Amino acid sequence: MKQQTLIAPSVLSADFSRLGEEVEDVINAGADWVHLDVMDGHFVPNITFGPQIIKSIRSRTEAIFDCHLMIAPADPYLAAFAEAGCDIITVHAEAGPHLDRSLQAIRNLGKKAGVSLNPSTPESVIEYVLDRLDLVLLMTVNPGFGGQAFIPSVVEKVRRVKAMIGTRPIHIEIDGGVTPETAPLVAAAGADVLVAGSAIFKGRGKAAYADNIAAIRHAADHARQQIAA
């Protein structure tokens, strides 16, 4: 089996009054990446934070900052998020007409490029940009708010994307409704990065976060081992 499942807590569910400490706690509790959900109140019906907030917490950890831009247009803001310290910048295929151009721009900024698909968007839209990608983020809820229920029909989409990627070194990331119960479904289908918000930040403090991260990772890794066996 390849390396264990990567866990990327979404700070959308963190205590924003102590965001820097929350980032440190969740990484010290065993998380791999920090997932940053940026929403603009236009592309999705919620507003979260921008590059200045990200820049303010960048010094709290050396972990990968995984930035998920749920904004439209995205291109005018790519440089600002790169300068803020994001390592992976993911744009939505639905957010603009020139996906290839957006991915080129991210790569030209020296960052890894990701594309996200809403639950109802077919995976065929990324067929011609696969060689520009480092990550495919599949939404298993409709974007905009944390705490939504997992959409089971996306599991088959994960399998199709995995087949489409082939041997390319592209991560498949899942965002939405990830718990120890749903993690095995997407892990067995081919996902190797799991975003979780409320399932990790429930209960406060590093000890609770460590237990929550371990439970999700164990469930996902077990499913991947079963498939590999």
Side-chain angles (χ1 to χ4, degrees):
M1 186 186 73
K2 60 181 180 178
Q3 70 173 41
Q4 66 181 8
T5 307
L6 300 175
I7 306 298
S10 169
V11 300
L12 193 61
S13 297
D15 178 354
F16 271 60
S17 70
R18 51 185 301 274
L19 187 56
E21 290 83 356
E22 289 274 74
V23 166
E24 289 184 5
D25 284 350
V26 80
I27 292 298
N28 291 333
D32 301 288
W33 298 357
V34 176
H35 189 77
L36 302 158
D37 286 308
V38 177
M39 306 181 189
D40 63 358
H42 169 70
F43 180 67
V44 292
N46 195 5
I47 298 173
T48 55
F49 49 81
Q52 288 302 316
I53 296 296
I54 294 171
K55 185 176 182 179
S56 75
I57 60 173
R58 178 65 274 192
S59 64
R60 305 303 287 260
T61 179
E62 295 182 356
I64 288 174
F65 270 20
D66 173 32
C67 183
H68 178 193
L69 296 181
M70 288 169 272
I71 65 176
D75 288 10
Y77 305 99
L78 296 176
F81 285 100
E83 291 166 7
C86 298
D87 300 292
I88 304 169
I89 300 177
T90 296
V91 295
H92 267 261
E94 307 89 355
H98 304 298
L99 179 58
D100 187 87
R101 178 182 294 163
S102 300
L103 298 173
Q104 286 189 61
I106 294 168
R107 288 274 185 90
N108 289 340
L109 288 164
K111 304 301 179 178
K112 292 188 175 182
V115 62
S116 184
L117 302 179
N118 287 335
S120 64
T121 301
E123 67 277 2
S124 58
V125 302
I126 64 171
E127 182 177 358
Y128 296 104
V129 296
L130 286 173
D131 292 325
R132 298 203 189 277
L133 292 175
D134 299 288
L135 179 144
V136 176
L137 171 56
L138 299 176
M139 296 299 300
T140 40
V141 299
N142 290 296
F145 297 95
Q148 298 182 68
F150 180 88
I151 298 175
S153 61
V154 181
V155 173
E156 288 303 316
K157 184 197 257 185
V158 178
R159 288 194 177 91
R160 294 192 297 270
V161 169
K162 179 68 174 175
M164 180 186 293
I165 286 171
T167 60
R168 295 176 180 87
I170 300 173
H171 286 294
I172 298 178
E173 184 174 42
I174 300 299
D175 187 357
V178 172
T179 66
E181 291 70 41
T182 59
L185 303 176
V186 290
D192 60 350
V193 185
L194 302 182
V195 176
S198 53
I200 288 177
F201 286 98
K202 65 179 182 180
R204 290 292 174 184
K206 187 166 64 176
Y209 301 162
D211 288 343
N212 298 336
I213 290 167
I216 294 170
R217 196 192 320 269
H218 174 76
D221 285 348
H222 180 70
R224 293 171 70 194
Q225 286 174 332
Q226 294 295 103
I227 293 297

